[in-house]
Every structure is written in structure tokens, then in C-alpha cells.
Amino acid sequence: SHSDRSVQITTNNTIRNLLLERLGCVLNPKELEQFQDIGRFNKVEISDIETVFAKILEANKKSKCFHHETLELEITDKYWFQLNQNTALGLSTYLRFTNSLFIKKIRIPTFFKIKFFIKCLIRFSNAT
């Protein structure tokens, strides 16, 4: 029901906030909302995602709260998901992908890279 979903969202937001607190990661209100949106799988601007994720990784380096490589892989997975949500931006999204430090941390099969490029290209073609 709607009330159960509302409770679930509130609980998940609280958990994410506690994790940030445990990390010692301070986000401004806009970044915090973006972080919550990422957790809810909502579409977020790529540059904003990069800022939030960089702050989280930097905080973790200082606090050593989580195993760095594991956290980095989790963040990269979320980043890849968000890139795929932002293909409507066309080739600018693909360029972000090719220059991303996050993506360089994982191995994405060639098939998925080609599929992603084609999605960006089609969206770019449709926008012009």
C-alpha cells in the first residue's frame, strides 16, 4: 500500500543518512537530496553524481569505515546505472563515460559499451 511505501522510503533515507554520518561525510542539502535520489534509483545529473560520490569516497579514505575497494565498486555500479539513465543527453553522456575515473575501476564487457554508445548516439540523433 501507499503508507507501506512511504515507511519504506523514510526508513531507507534514515539508513543512508546514518551511513553518511558513520563515514563522516558531510553533504549540503542539495547533495543530500541527490544522494537520496540515487538510492531510490531516480535520475540525477551526472556531474552531481560525480561530486557526491567523490565526497563519499574521500570521507571513507579518512574514516576507513568501509573496505575502500568494495565501496568503490558499489559506487561504480550505481554510477553506471545513472549513466544509463542519462542517455537522453546524447554524446555528452558517452564522453563522461569514457573520461570517468569511476568507470575505469571496473571492467564493462564490450557488448555493454557498444550498446551504451548506440543508445547515446540514437538519443543524440533524435534530439537534433
Side-chain angles (χ1 to χ4, degrees), residues 101-113:
L101 295 177
F102 296 113
I103 294 298
K104 293 180 190 320
K105 306 285 183 187
I106 62 169
R107 186 182 175 304
I108 298 173
T110 303
F111 169 78
F112 290 111
K113 289 179 184 178

Side-chain angles (χ1 to χ4, degrees), residues 3-68:
S3 65
D4 291 340
R5 177 77 178 131
S6 179
V7 169
Q8 183 181 21
I9 288 170
T10 302
T11 302
N12 289 341
N13 288 347
T14 302
I15 291 169
R16 284 190 285 272
N17 288 340
L18 289 171
L19 288 172
L20 288 174
E21 188 178 306
R22 185 172 172 199
L23 270 172
C25 184
V26 178
L27 300 177
N28 66 42
K30 180 183 176 201
E31 292 167 338
L32 184 58
E33 183 59 34
Q34 292 162 340
F35 178 67
Q36 298 294 359
D37 282 342
I38 292 165
R40 292 187 294 264
F41 298 101
N42 294 338
K43 187 173 164 181
V44 178
E45 290 290 324
I46 297 168
S47 60
D48 295 333
I49 296 164
E50 292 169 343
T51 300
V52 169
F53 284 167
K55 282 187 170 187
I56 290 170
L57 289 173
E58 188 59 35
N60 190 59
K61 275 185 188 176
K62 292 177 185 173
S63 69
K64 299 181 184 340
C65 187
F66 300 107
H67 183 261
H68 187 73

Side-chain angles (χ1 to χ4, degrees), residues 108-124:
I108 298 173
T110 303
F111 169 78
F112 290 111
K113 289 179 184 178
I114 292 169
K115 182 179 172 185
F116 178 68
F117 175 73
I118 290 170
K119 275 178 70 176
C120 291
L121 193 59
I122 289 170
R123 300 282 173 90
F124 175 75

